[in-house]
Amino acid sequence: MNIEFENHTISFHVQYGNREKKISIQIEPSGFITVKAPKAASEEVIKRAVGQHGKWILEQTRHLGEANKAPQTKQYQDKEKFLYLGKEHLLHELIETNGLTEEELRKNLKKFYFSSCKKIIGERLPIYQAQLKVKPKTVEIVESTTKWGSCSATKHLTFNYRLAMAPIDVIDYVIIHELCHLFHMNHDRSFWRRVGSIMPDYKEKEQYLAKYGSFMTL
């Protein structure tokens, strides 16, 4: 979701939960904003709550923006944090760290993201295949520095293993995007209409990848 506040656009991700009794706002060190809200909370109520904390949000994101002008090199130690499904986790929360060298930790963490991405794509892809009534010939998890996903003329789909670092709804967007390329190989109006028919707020997901993609790295 987005709101306009003092000539600034505040973009945030909403997590609905049955256990949430009130709306809370969290800002990750990367600057990513998560709003946790009760399942019954309306969009209007959520946006109003964010607006009430607008000055604080802008102040925090400004400070973080200065600190994060360039993503820092990761240190493979327990106090280092890594993104997984849009949230930051300590290294030992993701993989076993005891007695391993830095190179072994890096190798094992990459394996974790590859296997996690494969599992997530395997679970989410059939959902949107059914909605779009389309099926790729093959699906592969790959390492890429330029693309989050791709679709070939032979209906071969690839997905970047680093997608496991993104929130589920952002992963869903990339899945939908690539499945829609099975109908339209370019990005014409027909393509975006089809994407929007499944995910009307797809632009918010694009904004997330554009803004935080540089932090989704090892």
Side-chain angles (χ1 to χ4, degrees):
M1 288 186 189
N2 299 305
I3 67 164
E4 296 298 323
F5 184 85
E6 294 185 351
N7 298 319
H8 293 274
T9 299
I10 298 177
S11 300
F12 53 93
H13 176 69
V14 181
Q15 286 186 348
Y16 295 96
N18 291 322
R19 296 183 180 181
E20 301 296 332
K21 295 183 179 180
K22 61 181 182 179
I23 294 174
S24 62
I25 302 170
Q26 297 179 347
I27 304 178
E28 300 285 354
S30 62
F32 182 58
I33 303 169
T34 299
V35 177
K36 294 186 176 181
K39 200 169 185 179
S42 67
E43 182 174 325
E44 180 183 355
V45 168
I46 293 170
K47 288 184 174 181
R48 185 164 60 246
V50 173
Q52 289 171 348
H53 294 84
K55 289 187 177 180
W56 173 78
I57 291 171
L58 291 180
E59 182 180 352
Q60 294 301 311
T61 53
R62 273 195 293 268
H63 289 319
L64 291 170
E66 288 297 316
N68 295 327
K69 283 184 177 178
Q72 298 179 353
T73 302
K74 293 289 188 181
Q75 300 295 320
Y76 289 82
Q77 54 189 12
D78 279 350
K79 292 183 180 180
E80 186 67 271
K81 291 183 178 181
F82 294 84
L83 284 170
Y84 177 58
L85 297 181
K87 289 292 183 182
E88 290 188 321
H89 295 265
L90 294 172
L91 183 59
H92 72 265
E93 295 175 328
L94 302 177
I95 62 171
E96 177 59 48
T97 60
N98 291 333
L100 298 179
T101 66
E102 185 170 339
E103 182 58 31
E104 289 172 331
L105 290 171
R106 188 181 190 284
K107 184 178 179 181
N108 288 352
L109 185 59
K110 181 178 282 191
K111 285 183 178 179
F112 166 79
Y113 282 122
F114 260 97
S115 61
S116 296
C117 188
K118 183 177 181 179
K119 181 176 182 292
I120 295 164
I121 296 295
E123 292 172 347
R124 309 298 292 177
L125 190 66
I127 297 172
Y128 298 107
Q129 284 181 186
Q131 291 184 39
L132 289 163
K133 297 180 173 59
V134 68
K135 185 176 181 180
K137 285 187 177 179
T138 59
V139 178
E140 185 180 6
I141 308 303
V142 300
E143 180 173 3
S144 174
T145 58
T146 59
K147 295 181 179 180
W148 296 110
S150 68
C151 173
S152 73
T154 57
K155 298 185 177 182
H156 173 64
L157 300 189
T158 66
F159 296 97
N160 193 326
Y161 81 94
R162 293 187 294 124
L163 279 173
M165 303 178 191
I168 283 291
D169 56 353
V170 175
I171 299 174
D172 284 349
Y173 160 66
V174 177
I175 291 173
I176 293 167
H177 185 115
E178 300 311 329
L179 285 175
C180 286
H181 274 315
L182 295 175
F183 297 99
H184 311 278
M185 286 303 295
N186 54 22
H187 292 96
D188 60 13
R189 290 182 180 180
S190 297
F191 169 81
W192 290 114
R193 278 198 297 267
R194 196 177 292 271
V195 172
S197 70
I198 303 297
M199 181 174 279
D201 61 347
Y202 70 86
K203 288 185 178 181
E204 292 183 15
K205 320 310 176 191
E206 285 190 319
Q207 290 171 0
Y208 177 92
L209 291 172
K211 190 172 184 179
Y212 302 109
S214 62
F215 295 96
M216 294 162 56
T217 181
L218 298 183

